[in-house]
Amino acid sequence: MKIVYAGTPSFAVEPLKKIIENGYTVVGVITQTDKPQGRKGTLTPPPVKVFAQSQNVPVLQPVKLRDELGAVKELGGDILITCAYGQILNAETLGIFEKGVWNIHAGLLPKYRGASPIQSCILAGETETGVSIMKTELGLDSGDVLLVEKTEIGETETAGELSSRLSEIGANAIVDALKLLENGNYSLQKQSDEGVNVVRKIGKEQAKIDFTKTAEEIVNLVRAMNPEPTAYSCVNGLKVNVFLAETCKEFSDLDGEYGEVLCESPKKGLIVKCNGGAIKFLEVQPAGGKRIKGADFLNGRKAKKGDKFEC
């Protein structure tokens, strides 16, 4: 079985690596174009391209995949495996592969279809997620499911940490899926028409902390936005990224305006009033500075009791 693999970010590297390690023939990789990175705008290849080239696997980087299907056909693949590729496949693309197109989706279906299943399930306070291997059709993540591997979400687990775990789970799951597809001894599960939810790509605006939310909701936001786009607020005209936070019951009964700093002692930490309680910022990064403990932010007099976080 000759495999073509389409993926772009770091999340998609481990499944490709596992496929190769298990002796499958990858005849080509499709990924997004190189993008400018950093302040200098250095043109940087996607992680999947870097790994594929280290394995001497041919790489295609079409701006629009539908415009370069001739090159895709020339790879001679029987099956296409996709994982966070970043482009929607049209009917002609799906028709190229005799053994179908199969997607590694980092979420449970149909509740978390779309571009941000990892962040969205943390935002929603879910305690369980997983990886779904599904047959790709023209609808968005609506195809029949071949197999699902579930996992619990850690109470303090960030999106970055969960993404790393799901990448490994997805790597093992796609190898299991390929074995099923090879021997033909499998059945597909149609997705339910109930509970369908499409989660869109999350941007910086959604990362802004809203102190009218509860402490639990804000903690989930901070976890979901770590490492990017990173939860943030502003105090005394300074933008502050927040990487780690926890609920703070000790100060939950204190009066104050939403966003107000409640404690003047750095020993207690950076504690801020929110709806129905208080939240402690454990690790922050002031604009132009390094990541520091919330207590050190107070110690450095970037904020004091009575100051207000708001943007």
Side-chain angles (χ1 to χ4, degrees), residues 39-291:
R39 293 180 180 179
K40 295 183 179 180
T42 304
L43 203 60
T44 305
V48 164
K49 175 183 177 179
V50 174
F51 178 75
Q53 290 180 327
S54 75
Q55 304 297 307
N56 297 315
V57 177
V59 176
L60 298 180
Q61 292 181 275
V63 174
K64 292 182 179 180
L65 181 60
R66 65 176 179 268
D67 294 337
E68 296 190 32
L69 294 185
V72 175
K73 292 177 182 177
E74 288 179 4
L75 293 173
D78 305 309
I79 186 171
L80 174 64
I81 305 298
T82 64
C83 181
Y85 169 47
Q87 292 192 38
I88 295 175
L89 308 185
N90 62 12
E92 188 177 355
T93 307
L94 299 181
I96 291 173
F97 299 93
E98 180 184 348
K99 295 186 179 297
V101 179
W102 303 83
N103 182 48
I104 305 168
H105 183 73
L108 301 180
L109 299 168
K111 190 173 184 180
Y112 287 100
R113 296 178 181 176
S116 62
I118 297 174
Q119 291 170 302
S120 295
C121 72
I122 293 177
L123 274 173
E126 301 282 8
T127 58
E128 183 182 62
T129 186
V131 171
S132 304
I133 307 298
M134 51 158 283
K135 188 168 187 179
T136 301
E137 58 178 35
L138 290 179
L140 180 61
D141 295 332
S142 58
D144 295 346
V145 177
L146 175 61
L147 62 85
V148 177
E149 293 291 343
K150 294 183 178 181
T151 184
E152 291 184 1
I153 302 172
E155 187 176 350
T156 62
E157 195 167 24
T158 66
E161 292 166 342
L162 181 57
S163 179
S164 295
R165 286 206 303 113
L166 289 177
S167 179
E168 294 179 3
I169 291 171
N172 291 321
I174 193 59
V175 170
D176 290 341
L178 287 170
K179 292 176 182 177
L180 291 174
L181 293 170
E182 277 185 311
N183 62 35
N185 185 23
Y186 66 89
S187 61
L188 297 176
Q189 180 67 45
K190 183 178 175 59
Q191 291 188 41
S192 172
D193 293 329
E194 298 180 0
V196 174
N197 182 38
V198 176
V199 291
R200 305 299 180 185
K201 184 177 180 179
I202 290 176
K204 291 182 179 179
E205 182 59 29
Q206 291 160 284
K208 183 168 64 176
I209 297 173
D210 179 0
F211 292 96
T212 67
K213 301 288 188 180
T214 66
E216 289 78 11
E217 288 174 318
I218 295 173
V219 167
N220 288 342
L221 174 74
V222 171
R223 292 168 55 216
M225 301 299 156
N226 183 346
E228 57 181 5
T230 314
Y232 72 93
S233 188
C234 303
V235 64
N236 297 326
L238 180 67
K239 181 182 177 182
V240 181
N241 290 328
V242 182
F243 288 92
L244 295 174
E246 66 181 14
T247 59
C248 185
K249 295 182 179 179
E250 181 183 354
F251 289 83
S252 61
D253 294 332
L254 287 184
D255 293 330
E257 296 184 21
Y258 294 151
E260 183 179 337
V261 178
L262 296 177
C263 183
E264 60 187 352
S265 171
K267 291 182 179 180
K268 294 290 186 179
L270 181 54
I271 299 162
V272 183
K273 180 68 178 178
C274 61
N275 190 357
I279 187 165
K280 181 186 288 189
F281 291 157
L282 300 173
E283 187 175 324
V284 301
Q285 182 182 35
K290 298 179 180 180
R291 288 170 66 161

